[in-house]
Structures are given as structure tokens and as C-alpha cells.
Amino acid sequence: MFDLNKILRPNIKNLVPYSSARDEFKGEASVFLDANENSFGSPLPTNYNRYPDPLQHKVKLRLSEIKGVPPRSIFLGNGSDEAIDILFRAFCRPGIDNVITVPPTYGMYEVSANINDVAIRRISLTADYQLDLEGIAEAIDENTKLIFICSPNNPTGNSINRDDIETILANFKGLVVIDEAYINFSKQKTFIQELTEYANLVILQTLSKAWGLAGLRVGMAFASEEIIEIFNKVKPPYNINEASQQLALEALHNVDQVNDWIKQTVMEREILVSNLLEYDFVEKIFPSDANFILVKTSDAKGIYQYLVDHGIIVRDRSKVELCENSLRITIGTPEENKTLLNTLSQLKNKPTEA
Ligand SMILES: *Cc1c(COP(=O)(O)O)cnc(C)c1O
């Protein structure tokens, strides 16, 4: 059975969290002289002189309506990268514990592990970019605290089989972290509804991709109230600034615009794929559930450089395992995608002699 207390680091179990002025007095008042703020105001059209809500109640209330989870099951971080880092700091003893990653996948799990001096056990995805369940089962020991599964996966774009993820959720005694940064573009449904089923489930999402707010740095973690309480204990008191909270709240009332962009992106993705498959330097395009595609080419380095020379930047992933000669291409606006295709068609017709 999963026991949260068993996997928590002892120093975090015993931690007395920082108590801010806003934690100690939450009510209404007319004079606030408790936080050493500038009571006159800000040298800006909007006042930012007060510290922001440490627990971002308004944003969480709106997210709760959209996602169908109680506000207490939501954590907001300075990007989902903050949530990843907190998972390490709360659950992994440096130099003792380990985590499992399933490469090729998002690079931050490994960076965060290294920063926190936590060992990584890499169990590569299979040739069709699915989980090697046996390999994962063999890699788990009593010090394995976290398993990171990115679905849809970055940089491969595919979703991970749901049954495989559930097998791990049902058997692993640590936390299963499902990174759903690209879930809005996927035909697969989110694991959020499974939170009531699995006490060891943590879901990461973000406002950086479909929501178009990468510059605001707002990421989300969804988990049991007990896990979210731990996140809140460990996080810096004011980790989401006031401007980001206000703007995120405003954006979260514009669901229709975002859904429209998602539809367009998915349509554009399919158009881009069918056009790219016409080019002889394109060997394979992996099925994508995300707002990018992984394109296997005959010469990733050469094509990458050719595109750079024409002012178009894609991501060369050819050094990543199982991604030989592959480029990761984000789906842009219809105009941007046309520019990409036109530029590439000139590469195709480029005379081979100087
Ligand atoms: C982009 C991305 C994120 C988002 O990180 P933020 O810090 O929220 O911007 C998280 N996970 C994956 C897999 C990503 O590709």
C-alpha cells in the first residue's frame, strides 16, 4: 500500500514552514502595517505594492471550475519546472534516493535530479516510444521515490499507453508523476479524473503551451490534498507574483479563444505532416498528440542549418537517443507553416552542383 509518510524526507516531515504576514492575518482591514510594504503605492499605473496571495486562491478557484478538481488539490508553481524541483526536494534524499526517467523525454527531470544530487535510473522507451514495463519493474528498489512519465511525450509527441501507466500507478509505492504539458492537443484524456483512484498520482500541466502564457511562468500540479499540502510547505511563500496571478485569472476566462487555437493547431499539424511526407529527405514522422512533430530526416544537421540560414529555427534532436536524425518542429501559425514548407521545398529542388 502507498504510504505518503514513508516516502517523505524526514526533514520535510518535521519542517515548520515560513509564516508570512498574509498567513498570520487573512481578514479585511483598512490599515496594513504588518509586511513592511510601501503603503504609498507603486511607481506604476497598477499598484503592485502589496505582497501577492501566497496560495493564489482566485486563480485556483477558476482552475477548479475548468479542471473539475477541488482547489486544495491544485498547486501553482513558477512554471511546472518549480513543481518538478519541489518533488525532488520534498521526497528525495540527496545521495541516497533515486528516480526513474524513461528517455527520450523532457530534459528537466534529469537536470532537477542532478541539482538535487539524486540518482537517475534511465529505462529507455521501446522502439515505438512506449514504456518498457519489465525494465521499469526491475529498476525499482526501496529508495525509488519518483517515476516521471511525460504524455504526450516531449520530444516524440506520442501519448503513452494508458493501461501501462495504470499498471505502474497500481504497483509502485512512490509517486508517479504524469507530465501533461501537451494534453490539450491530445485525443487521450487527462489523468485528473484518476486522482480519487490513486493516492500516488501527481499530474503536471502548464499555462505555457496551449494557453499561450509561457512568459508568465505559471505551472500546475494536481494531486491529493495531502501531497499538495507538502508542496505548499516547501515552496517559496510568494512563488507566483501578483501580475502573473491577475493575468492568469484574466486568461482563464478566455477558454473559447484557447480552444479555437487548439483546433487550429491540430488541423495545421495534420496539414504539415502530409506536406512534409512529400519531401524525399523526410523518412518518417511520428504520430503526434502535441503541438509539435518529430520528423526523422536523411540529414538533420544539414536541414537544421539550412533553416537557420533562412531565419527559421527548429530543434535538432538528433543527439538524443532513439531520435537519430530527427528534428522537432513546433506547429506555428498557418503562415509560419507555409513559410517553413516553401523554404524546405527550395531545399528539395536545390541544385546539387555549385
Ligand atoms: C514545456 C514543458 C513544460 C512546461 O514547463 P513550464 O515550466 O510550465 O513552462 C513541462 N513539461 C514538458 C514536458 C514540457 O515540454
Side-chain angles (χ1 to χ4, degrees):
M1 265 303 284
F2 173 73
D3 182 350
L4 188 61
N5 267 316
K6 258 201 183 132
I7 64 164
L8 197 56
R9 282 174 67 185
N11 60 313
I12 302 299
K13 205 179 301 177
N14 300 325
L15 180 71
V16 180
Y18 177 75
S19 180
S20 70
R22 279 296 79 73
D23 288 320
E24 290 181 10
F25 181 85
K26 290 192 177 101
E28 295 289 319
S30 53
V31 182
F32 279 100
L33 301 175
D34 58 348
N36 301 347
E37 299 150 335
N38 182 340
S39 294
F40 294 95
S42 315
L44 288 172
T46 307
N47 270 339
Y48 291 110
N49 56 325
R50 300 298 177 185
Y51 280 98
D53 176 359
L55 292 173
Q56 311 99 15
H57 288 91
K58 286 182 186 154
V59 184
K60 285 180 183 172
L61 211 57
R62 179 66 190 134
L63 273 173
S64 159
E65 292 170 0
I66 295 173
K67 303 287 178 183
V69 276
R72 284 173 190 277
S73 281
I74 307 174
F75 164 81
L76 294 184
N78 185 2
S80 26
D81 291 347
E82 183 176 29
I84 295 169
D85 183 62
I86 289 179
L87 283 164
F88 280 98
R89 287 191 288 142
F91 296 102
C92 301
R93 294 165 297 175
I96 300 171
D97 289 331
N98 67 76
V99 302
I100 290 177
T101 64
V102 291
T105 192
Y106 186 47
M108 269 314 285
Y109 317 136
E110 184 147 349
V111 173
S112 241
N114 288 334
I115 290 170
N116 290 287
D117 192 18
V118 171
I120 306 152
R121 300 187 171 179
R122 296 176 197 83
I123 309 301
S124 299
L125 294 174
T126 59
D128 58 349
Y129 297 147
Q130 291 297 332
L131 298 175
D132 168 6
L133 285 183
E134 251 175 56
I136 292 171
E138 278 167 23
I140 294 170
D141 68 15
E142 71 279 7
N143 292 333
T144 307
K145 296 299 184 68
L146 311 169
I147 299 180
F148 287 94
I149 298 169
C150 186
S151 182
N153 188 36
N154 179 3
T156 60
N158 64 297
S159 295
I160 305 296
N161 291 336
R162 201 175 180 89
D163 290 347
D164 290 352
I165 298 178
E166 295 218 34
T167 300
I168 296 177
L169 276 165
N171 293 293
F172 181 49
K173 290 177 179 58
L175 296 179
V176 180
V177 184
I178 306 180
D179 188 339
E180 295 187 337
Y182 300 98
I183 194 69
N184 308 78
F185 305 101
S186 174
K187 290 183 293 293
Q188 306 298 317
K189 65 181 199 342
T190 166
F191 267 85
I192 284 183
Q193 276 74 43
E194 261 52 63
L195 281 174
T196 45
E197 188 82 19
Y198 300 106
N200 59 342
L201 171 58
V202 176
I203 297 152
L204 304 180
Q205 291 187 6
T206 179
L207 297 186
S208 297
K209 306 287 158 63
W211 283 91
L213 299 170
L216 290 191
R217 312 305 304 128
V218 181
M220 308 162 250
F222 304 95
S224 70
E225 283 184 27
E226 292 74 21
I227 294 175
I228 297 300
E229 259 173 43
I230 293 162
F231 271 79
N232 288 336
K233 229 167 114 170
V234 174
K235 80 180 184 71
Y238 304 110
N239 61 327
I240 309 288
N241 68 68
E242 180 63 24
S244 287
Q245 290 193 41
Q246 286 179 10
L247 292 168
L249 186 61
E250 194 182 326
L252 288 168
H253 282 95
N254 222 335
V255 185
D256 292 343
Q257 169 69 82
V258 173
N259 282 335
D260 191 51
W261 281 330
I262 292 167
K263 269 198 209 111
Q264 283 195 58
T265 301
V266 170
M267 263 170 46
E268 281 294 313
R269 182 179 74 203
E270 301 318 313
I271 295 171
L272 193 60
V273 168
S274 61
N275 280 292
L276 283 172
L277 285 171
E278 299 289 313
Y279 297 143
D280 49 12
F281 50 81
V282 170
E283 294 187 352
K284 188 174 178 183
I285 302 180
F286 297 92
S288 170
D289 259 341
N291 66 339
F292 59 85
I293 48 177
L294 189 69
V295 183
K296 185 157 192 208
T297 68
S298 51
D299 173 23
K301 223 176 143 209
I303 297 167
Y304 173 81
Q305 194 52 51
Y306 170 80
L307 287 173
V308 169
D309 293 343
H310 289 77
I312 300 173
I313 315 301
V314 298
R315 198 89 192 263
D316 182 3
R317 298 280 77 186
S318 46
K319 295 224 167 57
V320 175
E321 68 170 302
L322 297 176
C323 298
E324 290 78 21
N325 260 326
S326 298
L327 299 172
R328 194 193 69 188
I329 304 177
T330 305
I331 313 303
T333 63
E335 294 71 37
E336 289 172 329
N337 302 332
K338 267 189 212 109
T339 305
L340 172 73
L341 286 168
N342 285 338
T343 308
L344 284 174
S345 67
Q346 282 154 31
L347 169 73
K348 184 184 169 189
N349 300 325
K350 222 174 35 169
T352 40
E353 299 143 51

